[in-house]
Amino acid sequence: SSGINAEYGYEHERLEFQKLKNGKAELASKVDVLRNAAQPLEIALEQKKNAQVEVESLIKDVTNELNKVSSSIKGTEQQLSSGKERIDELMVGFKSKVNEAETKLAKITQLTNEVNAYQQEMEALPETSDLKSRREAITTETRNIAKELGKLESAINELNIEEQARQSKKRTMSSQIQKLNDINNQKLENLRRFEKDTYNAVQWLRSNRGQFQGEILEPFQLIINVPNPSNAKYIESIISRNDRKAFIFERADDLNTFMRQLRDKQKLNINAVLAPKEDSSQRSLDFEKLRPLGFVGFLSDLIECPPLAKRYLYRYYRIHNVPIGSAATDKMADRVNKIIPSGLYFTPSYRYQNSKSRYHGGDIISSISQVRESRIFNFTVDTRKIQDFKSQLERLNGESLEANDRLNEVKRHQQELRTKDNGFREQKQVIVQQIRHRDTIEDKIRARTQKINELKNSSIDLEEEKAKCDQKTKQILQKCMGLQKKIYMLYLESETKNNLKNENMIRKIEVSFEVSEAEEQLQSSTQELQSAEEMLNNHADIIRRQRAKAAELLEEAKRVCGLTTNSLPNKYKSMFKRYPTNNVNDLDQQLNEAKALAECSNDLANPQMITEYNDRKKEIETYTKEVEVNQDKLKDLESQIHTVRESWYGPITEIIEKINTKFRSFFVKLQCAGEILLSEHEDYDKWGVDIRVQFRNSDDMKRLTSSYQSGGEKSVSTILYLLSLQGLTDCPFRVVDEINQGMDPKNERKVFEMMAAAATVQGTSQYFLITPKLLPDLRYNEKMNILSIFNGLQIDNNANESFVVENVIEQARFRNSQSQIMV
């Protein structure tokens, strides 16, 4: 096979070489013909180029002459145009002077009418001298009133100082009374420490006293007062512990109810007693007999308590028959025993209990024990001192009432003077306005009269101006006629030269066409010659390469076929007959088809490929089923998500719409625009609320961010958003800290009014607005409170006693009125 191919390649290249050799001979003959034909064309082209140069020289000379004529025409026309423009300027100037004269005349008429109107208005006004006299008289009156107001202000200050001193004394006395009364709280605290059940019962009784009909007293420990603390040990010595913590009842049914409620139900360890109805305070001892023995009084005289409690002590402890002795009494015990053979008496250190013996003929048996200091009744209240303080308070209150009456009288007189002063000031203001108005009118009349004179002095003589304009126009027209004639002659000369130029241009075009035609012929002939020479050279190169390639193929064919000569053996000749084509490409195609058929036969016999095909087919079926199942699950999940989303999406959009409606209405009041939108996203964690605002008409609606809007705009948007949430959130109060910082006064005022309106609606939350400053003249209502905090290093610690806001305001008003009087 390789031998056949080599032999065939050599034969093919040999035939191609013969064709190229024949073509080279034809090309060489053609090149000689083209070279001979190009020489006459080059001679003719040179002649025509010389003629073209001569024509162009003539055209250049004529063109220069035409340019000179055109330049003369242009200059003359410019002079003519300038003359026309000058005439127009003269006409416009004259018309302007006519308009100016008419305007001045109209202005003079207008100013004259205004002067007449002002003079009529002046005649209706009072004279300036009368107005000034009235103003001086009113000024004198207001000065006298100011002096009187100053005296009244001093009197008010004196009364206020006196009242402040009284208030200070009253606070001191009230504090003293409070301190004295605090002893009762000390008694209660002592009871809580040692008798917790009794303390709880006292608290319950104070809260439920309305359930009972009769009088009920708290335990003796709380209601007995010993003015002199040194006497407390006597009463504590005789009253038992159970009675000290016992409640005293006037009615038995109240006592039973009380005990059932507290002792039976609440299991409190308490005691209660029923007071006797009769008063058994009749004494059996004559104090006049006891006085020489050092006795100072009876125990009943040393204590204070309600009558109901005393009746109980009289009956069961006979305190009215328990004398109290001195240290001297101890030395006279025998004599005392004769006067008090049976009974109880005390000295500062001892307790004496006497009784008669039943077995020794009535001998007196005396039991002596030492008296311990009191722990229970040593909390004493000085009622006399309290009463003294209360009397002084009543006296001071009376003085305050009298001083308040005097103060009101002074303030009434002060108000009358201020009313009178305000009336004078209003009159003075009217007079000042009249004087200013009269001066203003006089200035206007003076200015308009001066303007009228200026306009009359600068009047224009239209006849003279018209004559000047006509004369100048005539001179310019005469000059323009001469220029028109010159332009006519120049145009005639230009036409002659232009005709000559056109003739030469036509000749130039003809010569140029002939030169172009000759150049094209020569260029065509030259290109054809160059192409033939190039083809001839290419054929020579191809022939050389083809000769070398043929020699190589011949040697290759001989080597493959094992030949030593150039003749082809018979076996190769028979093979060439089976493939009659002489085209190598056809042979290559038949060879490739045979190779592909052989490869396909081998693949069909491979069992591994069939197994791999079946495995992949099963995998495809498995993956297809899994995709179908997952798609069904995905549809179920999407349905569940849609159901859950619908359960909350509707309410949320309704809430957002409510907030948006209020938010937009608030911004409309500010003459701005705003809206609240629900920001939706595929990821539910990224949902949110967008606040969009527009504060200027030149801007678009922008999302509220920390970088785009100013601090004041963010504050306005924030507080209006909070107000929009007013009806949708439930909280007891809201605190807004310095939200008005950074706002301009206009927006701050409107925001404050909207906050006040929203916060004072019945049933809304309480608002606390904390701010270092408030705008003047804000609108307040009765549901709002303003608390001003006075604090700092320069404020006196006692300022709260001497600082009165009303006095400060009054003094400021007085100083303001004084400054107005001086003006």
Side-chain angles (χ1 to χ4, degrees):
S1 174
S2 59
I4 294 173
N5 288 335
E7 182 64 26
Y8 178 79
Y10 166 74
E11 183 64 21
H12 174 73
E13 294 299 330
R14 188 185 64 78
L15 294 175
E16 289 294 325
F17 172 76
Q18 190 62 39
K19 289 179 182 179
L20 290 172
K21 189 176 180 180
N22 294 335
K24 178 182 178 183
E26 293 177 0
L27 289 173
S29 176
K30 185 177 180 180
V31 168
D32 293 337
V33 173
L34 291 174
R35 285 175 180 171
N36 294 330
Q39 293 178 356
L41 293 176
E42 291 176 355
I43 296 171
L45 177 61
E46 185 66 25
Q47 293 175 353
K48 293 182 183 299
K49 283 184 177 181
N50 293 333
Q52 185 181 22
V53 171
E54 293 177 2
V55 173
E56 288 178 351
S57 178
L58 291 174
I59 292 174
K60 183 176 180 180
D61 294 338
V62 175
T63 300
N64 291 333
E65 294 176 0
L66 273 175
N67 290 335
K68 292 179 181 179
V69 174
S70 298
S71 177
S72 299
I73 293 173
K74 186 176 181 181
T76 307
E77 287 179 343
Q78 287 178 352
Q79 294 178 9
L80 181 62
S81 177
S82 298
K84 292 180 180 180
E85 291 177 356
R86 180 59 182 157
I87 292 173
D88 293 338
E89 290 176 358
L90 290 172
M91 296 304 296
V92 171
F94 177 71
K95 188 175 181 181
S96 174
K97 291 184 179 294
V98 172
N99 293 335
E100 183 180 354
E102 293 175 352
T103 302
K104 287 183 177 180
L105 182 61
K107 188 66 176 179
I108 290 172
T109 303
Q110 176 188 350
L111 293 173
T112 303
N113 293 334
E114 291 179 357
V115 170
N116 294 334
Y118 286 137
Q119 288 176 346
Q120 292 178 0
E121 187 175 356
M122 282 281 290
E123 293 174 358
L125 293 174
E127 292 295 331
T128 304
S129 58
D130 295 339
L131 292 173
K132 291 183 178 180
S133 298
R134 289 167 57 191
R135 183 181 63 182
E136 292 299 327
I138 290 174
T139 300
T140 302
E141 289 291 336
T142 55
R143 287 175 180 171
N144 294 333
I145 291 174
K147 292 179 181 179
E148 187 65 24
L149 285 172
K151 295 177 181 179
L152 294 177
E153 185 67 27
S154 298
I156 290 173
N157 289 337
E158 291 177 0
L159 290 172
N160 285 333
I161 292 172
E162 292 175 359
E163 180 61 23
Q164 290 173 6
R166 278 192 292 271
Q167 292 295 332
S168 179
K169 291 180 180 179
K170 288 162 66 175
R171 285 192 294 271
T172 301
M173 292 179 184
S174 298
S175 177
Q176 293 295 331
I177 293 172
Q178 181 66 32
K179 289 179 180 178
L180 292 172
N181 287 329
D182 281 346
I183 293 175
N184 292 325
N185 294 329
Q186 295 178 19
K187 291 181 179 181
L188 189 62
E189 176 63 21
N190 195 46
L191 179 66
R192 186 188 67 82
R193 289 173 58 193
F194 297 103
E195 302 290 346
K196 187 62 179 291
D197 287 356
T198 305
Y199 170 81
N200 292 334
V202 170
Q203 297 296 334
W204 183 89
L205 178 61
R206 291 181 179 182
S207 301
N208 299 275
R209 194 175 291 273
Q211 298 182 16
F212 305 97
Q213 298 179 2
E215 183 180 3
I216 305 174
L217 298 180
E218 294 177 357
F220 288 103
Q221 185 172 339
L222 299 179
I223 63 176
I224 290 179
N225 178 52
V226 183
N228 188 349
S230 62
N231 297 327
K233 56 188 176 182
Y234 305 133
I235 189 68
E236 185 172 335
S237 177
I238 67 171
I239 299 178
S240 67
R241 180 174 180 274
N242 286 335
D243 280 352
R244 285 202 300 266
K245 66 177 184 178
F247 293 83
I248 304 98
F249 286 82
E250 181 183 21
R251 296 168 58 96
D253 54 349
D254 288 343
L255 186 148
N256 295 329
T257 301
F258 181 80
M259 297 302 286
R260 282 196 305 271
Q261 181 67 32
L262 295 179
R263 187 170 65 185
D264 299 340
K265 291 184 178 180
Q266 298 187 25
K267 306 301 181 182
L268 296 180
N269 183 17
I270 60 174
N271 191 19
V273 297
L274 184 65
K277 295 181 180 180
E278 299 82 8
D279 185 359
S280 56
S281 60
Q282 186 67 33
R283 288 194 175 96
S284 59
L285 295 176
D286 185 1
F287 183 71
E288 294 302 324
K289 294 180 180 180
L290 297 174
R291 189 189 300 275
L293 301 177
F295 285 96
V296 296
F298 291 95
L299 182 57
S300 61
D301 299 328
L302 304 181
I303 67 170
E304 297 174 352
C305 63
L308 189 66
K310 275 197 173 183
R311 290 208 305 267
Y312 183 84
L313 295 175
Y314 290 155
R315 168 69 63 86
Y316 297 105
Y317 291 98
R318 300 183 59 78
I319 61 172
H320 58 294
N321 281 322
V322 178
I324 306 299
S326 62
T329 307
D330 291 327
K331 300 177 183 180
M332 297 179 282
D334 295 337
R335 295 174 59 187
V336 173
N337 291 340
K338 293 178 181 179
I339 298 174
I340 310 174
S342 176
L344 175 68
Y345 68 93
F346 288 93
T347 65
S349 300
Y350 298 100
R351 167 179 170 162
Y352 293 86
Q353 180 71 50
N354 293 338
S355 62
K356 291 182 178 182
S357 175
R358 297 179 182 179
Y359 307 102
H360 299 283
D363 292 338
I364 297 174
I365 300 173
S366 181
S367 174
I368 303 173
S369 59
Q370 194 169 7
V371 180
R372 292 181 296 179
E373 293 297 326
S374 174
R375 293 188 306 109
I376 304 300
F377 295 102
N378 56 350
F379 301 99
T380 61
V381 179
D382 193 342
T383 56
R384 286 189 297 274
K385 198 170 185 178
I386 291 177
Q387 187 60 39
D388 182 50
F389 283 143
K390 289 183 178 178
S391 300
Q392 293 184 47
L393 278 176
E394 290 178 0
R395 178 178 58 78
L396 291 173
N397 287 331
E399 292 177 0
S400 294
L401 291 175
E402 294 176 1
N404 189 53
D405 293 338
R406 293 197 304 274
L407 182 63
N408 291 334
E409 179 62 24
V410 173
K411 287 186 176 180
R412 184 188 62 77
H413 188 200
Q414 185 186 47
Q415 185 61 38
E416 291 176 355
L417 289 177
R418 285 178 176 170
T419 303
K420 187 176 180 180
D421 182 66
N422 291 335
F424 282 133
R425 290 181 182 279
E426 291 176 357
Q427 295 178 21
K428 183 178 179 180
Q429 185 66 26
V430 172
I431 292 172
V432 170
Q433 290 177 354
Q434 289 178 343
I435 292 173
R436 290 176 180 173
H437 186 51
R438 188 179 181 88
D439 293 342
T440 302
I441 293 175
E442 290 177 351
D443 293 339
K444 290 181 178 179
I445 292 174
R446 191 180 302 109
R448 282 159 176 73
T449 303
Q450 182 179 357
K451 186 67 175 178
I452 290 171
N453 294 332
E454 292 176 355
L455 292 173
K456 288 181 179 179
N457 294 332
S458 62
S459 59
I460 300 172
D461 187 352
L462 294 179
E463 293 295 333
E464 181 182 354
E465 293 294 331
K466 187 175 185 304
K468 291 179 181 179
C469 182
D470 290 342
Q471 183 179 1
K472 292 180 180 180
T473 302
K474 184 176 180 181
Q475 293 175 355
I476 295 171
L477 288 174
Q478 290 176 353
K479 186 177 180 180
C480 288
M481 289 176 64
L483 293 173
Q484 286 280 11
K485 184 176 180 181
K486 182 179 178 181
I487 290 172
Y488 175 73
M489 298 304 295
L490 289 171
Y491 270 114
L492 290 177
E493 182 180 358
S494 174
E495 184 178 1
T496 301
K497 294 184 179 300
N498 199 36
N499 291 333
L500 179 60
K501 179 180 179 181
N502 290 336
E503 291 175 357
N504 289 323
M505 288 296 293
I506 292 171
R507 175 59 185 157
K508 178 182 177 182
I509 293 171
E510 292 175 351
V511 173
S512 297
F513 179 76
E514 292 174 355
V515 170
S516 298
E517 187 177 16
E519 287 178 345
E520 290 177 0
Q521 291 178 357
L522 179 59
Q523 184 178 3
S524 177
S525 177
T526 303
Q527 289 178 351
E528 188 175 359
L529 175 61
Q530 291 175 352
S531 177
E533 289 176 347
E534 184 177 357
M535 291 177 66
L536 181 60
N537 293 331
N538 290 336
H539 268 71
D541 294 337
I542 293 171
I543 289 171
R544 284 193 298 271
R545 290 194 300 273
Q546 197 72 19
R547 182 181 291 110
K549 187 176 181 180
E552 291 176 358
L553 291 174
L554 178 60
E555 293 298 325
E556 177 67 17
K558 289 166 65 178
R559 184 186 64 78
V560 172
C561 297
L563 301 177
T564 56
T565 62
N566 293 335
S567 62
L568 187 67
N570 292 329
K571 64 176 181 176
Y572 292 122
K573 290 180 180 180
S574 63
M575 291 180 182
F576 276 108
K577 290 179 181 179
R578 273 190 261 166
Y579 302 97
T581 180
N582 292 328
N583 193 330
V584 176
N585 293 331
D586 292 341
L587 292 173
D588 288 338
Q589 182 178 359
Q590 292 178 11
L591 180 61
N592 290 332
E593 289 177 356
K595 289 180 179 180
L597 180 61
E599 290 177 357
C600 289
S601 298
N602 293 331
D603 289 341
L604 290 175
N606 188 356
Q608 184 177 358
M609 294 186 65
I610 297 174
T611 303
E612 184 178 354
Y613 168 77
N614 293 329
D615 292 341
R616 290 188 179 182
K617 184 176 181 181
K618 290 179 181 179
E619 288 181 3
I620 291 172
E621 292 177 355
T622 302
Y623 289 146
T624 302
K625 291 179 181 179
E626 289 180 359
V627 169
E628 292 176 354
V629 172
N630 290 331
Q631 286 178 346
D632 293 338
K633 290 181 179 180
L634 179 61
K635 290 180 180 179
D636 293 339
L637 290 175
E638 289 177 349
S639 177
Q640 294 176 10
I641 292 172
H642 180 73
T643 303
V644 173
R645 183 179 183 274
E646 291 300 318
S647 65
W648 53 259
Y649 183 76
I652 285 180
T653 53
E654 291 179 3
I655 292 173
I656 294 297
E657 184 59 32
K658 291 179 181 178
I659 298 173
N660 182 42
T661 301
K662 292 185 178 180
F663 191 74
R664 289 170 58 188
S665 65
F666 286 142
F667 264 81
V668 169
K669 294 179 182 178
L670 293 178
Q671 297 181 354
C672 300
E675 62 180 0
I676 304 296
L677 300 175
L678 181 63
S679 176
E680 301 183 14
H681 195 272
E682 293 181 357
D683 186 357
Y684 287 100
D685 290 336
K686 296 181 180 180
W687 281 48
V689 175
D690 278 347
I691 301 177
R692 299 172 63 84
V693 293
Q694 177 188 0
F695 286 92
R696 288 167 290 276
N697 294 330
S698 59
D699 294 343
D700 295 331
M701 196 83 76
K702 298 290 186 182
R703 185 171 177 266
L704 185 66
T705 62
S706 60
S707 58
Y708 185 81
Q709 289 82 9
S710 66
E713 292 170 348
K714 287 185 283 189
S715 297
V716 170
S717 304
T718 302
I719 190 61
L720 294 185
Y721 180 71
L722 292 177
L723 291 177
S724 302
L725 297 175
Q726 178 76 27
L728 301 176
T729 57
D730 187 12
C731 59
F733 64 88
R734 291 180 170 88
V735 179
V736 183
D737 185 14
E738 298 187 11
I739 194 68
N740 55 343
Q741 295 300 99
M743 294 186 189
D744 59 274
K746 179 180 177 183
N747 286 336
E748 182 178 352
R749 188 175 299 278
K750 290 185 178 181
V751 168
F752 180 85
E753 292 176 356
M754 286 187 280
M755 283 184 61
T760 55
V761 175
Q762 185 68 27
T764 58
S765 302
Q766 186 178 12
Y767 269 79
F768 292 89
L769 173 60
I770 302 172
T771 177
K773 56 95 177 179
L774 285 173
L775 292 176
D777 301 326
L778 291 175
R779 296 180 182 177
Y780 304 100
N781 59 45
E782 66 280 0
K783 296 182 180 180
M784 300 172 63
N785 288 328
I786 299 177
L787 304 178
S788 298
I789 308 301
F790 294 94
N791 193 11
L793 296 176
Q794 305 302 322
I795 296 181
D796 187 8
N797 293 332
N798 298 322
N800 58 339
E801 297 182 0
S802 60
F803 185 83
V804 181
V805 176
E806 290 78 4
N807 294 342
V808 175
I809 295 174
E810 197 66 31
Q811 292 172 7
R813 288 175 176 170
F814 175 73
R815 289 194 297 270
N816 191 26
S817 64
Q818 290 293 102
S819 62
Q820 291 179 356
I821 291 172
M822 296 302 295
V823 174

